[in-house]
Amino acid sequence: MAAASAPGVSLAAAAGGASLLLRQLFDAATGTFTYLLADVPSGEGVLIDPVFEQHSRDLALIRELGIDLVASIDTHAHADHVTGSWLMRQATGCAIGLAATAHAENVTLPLHHGERVRFGGRSLEVHSTPGHTDGCLSYVLDDRAMAFTGDTLLVRGCGRCDFQQGNAHTLWRSITEQLFTLPDACLIYPGHDYTGRSVTSVAEEKAFNARLGGAATERDFVGHMESMKLPHPGRIAEALPGNLRSGKPQQAAAAPEWAPVLPSYAGLPELAPAWVTDHRAALTILDVRSREETEGPDGRIGGSLLIPLPELEERRGEIPEDRPVVVVCHSGSRSALATQQLLKAGRRQVANLRGGLARWSDEGYPLERPSAP
């Protein structure tokens, strides 16, 4: 299901002129990295290790960049967070990918060693790298310039081996035979980090990884791993069963109370012009432009309430309490600030008009304009 990007947004520009777009996203609560990759010429992309609670953020970015998401794939069945893959499939129709050995429900793309996950003209090669869990996978980009290693190999560390079929001997072989045989310049993008380290390289980890780099032997590594005394993962009772359902909630989420609000990538609640125009009679349209603008050639939405942004704080009492509020300006910028102010003031049913009056006009919805003299 292709996503429509915002007017004027080029995926090539978003990728810095490169043919591949890479975004590294972070969940601070669990120290989890999520990765979005997209093949610029085709617009197809994949999402690696999404976090359930960050679904709105990830979906907003995918939609804003106009990416056609092919698959949401996990490196393993996580013990510290629930995957967002099921939610992403519901939103975009993408495949759900996980190691076949995990035997998880709702997986539509069971993955095996040596297979490829294709997106446009690019692909990720699936490497079976067990040891942290039996079902750990690492994904290596087709040109071997980067690898996404989940918990198998971290920056100057690796995943633990003391639960969920973990085995230090197996993990040693996975890293030394699968990952350390990649080119030294291959960039390693880990599944987690808790100290702000976001990327490393094969060369660095072979030289400096305290557990298995430098002159370390398998005996050294196993001795280190078996001597670690780590607390049990705090969310494993929730996360593991949830991930064996591919992130599908046990109970369906409640429908939005008043509107199909979609948070932007910046976290702002927004509504599309089509929904707003279909429900105008039940809404307060709050225009926060200057009076001169509303009376100028750009026009205004009929029946909208005018309160210029500089006056909003002192005139909030003029906004009806019995109807949801949709805030508008020319581009959606000033109305975004106004939406934030109303949310902070305690209004719950409030959203910004996505793209502002410029998008409203571009999509052909009516505006009242002053008559020609």
Side-chain angles (χ1 to χ4, degrees):
M1 182 186 301
S5 62
V9 172
S10 160
L11 187 57
S19 62
L20 180 76
L21 176 135
L22 169 65
R23 288 288 185 271
Q24 184 181 53
L25 308 167
F26 187 62
D27 177 61
T30 61
T32 301
F33 287 119
T34 297
Y35 299 95
L36 176 64
L37 289 88
D39 172 54
V40 170
S42 69
E44 292 186 351
V46 295
L47 191 67
I48 302 173
D49 285 340
V51 174
F52 187 94
E53 289 81 3
Q54 298 289 355
H55 169 71
S56 295
R57 175 202 66 183
D58 299 347
L59 181 61
L61 179 59
I62 289 164
R63 286 177 166 164
E64 287 177 5
L65 296 181
I67 294 169
D68 180 7
L69 195 68
V70 172
S72 179
I73 58 179
D74 280 282
T75 53
H76 62 293
H78 308 274
D80 53 4
H81 70 273
V82 177
T83 178
S85 285
W86 185 85
L87 291 176
M88 197 57 70
R89 177 170 172 80
Q90 296 302 111
T92 68
C94 69
I96 295 175
L98 186 68
T101 55
H103 303 294
E105 299 174 6
N106 304 307
V107 172
T108 62
L109 186 63
L111 297 170
H112 303 83
H113 180 78
E115 294 180 339
R116 289 185 178 272
V117 178
R118 301 186 184 278
F119 55 107
R122 306 303 300 266
S123 67
L124 292 169
E125 186 176 25
V126 178
H127 286 242
S128 177
T129 51
H132 172 60
T133 75
D134 272 356
C136 279
L137 302 175
S138 296
Y139 301 109
V140 180
L141 194 63
D142 45 29
D143 60 2
R144 294 169 43 115
M146 57 184 70
F148 303 87
T149 55
D151 286 16
T152 298
L153 181 61
L154 306 174
V155 180
R156 306 300 192 265
C158 62
R160 60 196 291 177
C161 303
D162 58 340
F163 70 97
Q164 205 179 343
Q165 311 95 36
N167 183 282
H169 293 281
T170 303
L171 185 57
W172 167 270
R173 290 192 295 272
S174 291
I175 295 173
T176 58
E177 297 175 11
Q178 292 286 332
L179 301 178
F180 280 2
T181 56
L182 294 170
D184 280 355
C186 179
L187 296 177
I188 300 295
Y189 289 94
H192 293 279
D193 196 84
Y194 308 99
T195 61
R197 300 169 301 188
S198 58
V199 64
T200 182
S201 66
V202 169
E204 286 177 74
E205 297 310 311
K206 284 164 68 174
F208 304 122
N209 192 295
R211 300 180 185 179
L212 71 167
T217 65
E218 183 174 352
R219 182 178 66 247
D220 297 324
F221 176 72
V222 172
H224 180 118
M225 299 304 294
E226 292 183 348
S227 298
M228 296 176 71
K229 304 297 182 184
L230 298 172
H232 210 54
R235 293 186 60 190
I236 189 171
E238 169 196 2
L240 193 53
N243 288 320
L244 292 179
R245 298 190 303 270
S246 300
K248 181 179 180 180
Q250 288 184 301
Q251 295 181 340
E257 291 184 5
W258 67 278
V261 172
L262 288 174
S264 69
Y265 185 48
L268 190 72
E270 294 187 334
L271 286 168
W275 188 90
V276 173
T277 194
D278 287 342
H279 297 82
R280 278 171 59 188
L283 304 170
T284 294
I285 308 296
L286 175 63
D287 194 326
V288 296
R289 296 174 298 159
S290 67
R291 185 170 301 279
E292 291 75 18
E293 287 177 281
T294 62
E295 295 175 352
D298 288 343
R300 60 186 293 180
I301 298 175
S304 56
L305 171 65
L306 171 63
I307 302 181
L309 180 59
E311 303 173 18
L312 180 60
E313 185 171 356
E314 63 184 41
R315 294 178 58 188
R316 273 203 317 265
E318 299 177 27
I319 305 172
E321 297 278 353
D322 60 343
R323 288 185 290 176
V325 179
V326 178
V327 192
V328 304
C329 69
H330 173 69
S331 67
S333 175
R334 284 170 289 173
S335 56
L337 181 57
T339 300
Q340 290 174 331
Q341 291 182 7
L342 292 174
L343 288 169
K344 288 180 180 178
R347 294 295 294 253
R348 291 292 172 259
Q349 295 184 343
V350 58
N352 193 30
L353 179 68
R354 185 182 293 265
L357 293 179
R359 180 166 178 175
W360 178 279
S361 177
D362 288 344
E363 294 185 6
Y365 297 112
L367 289 167
E368 292 183 352
R369 290 186 168 91
S371 301

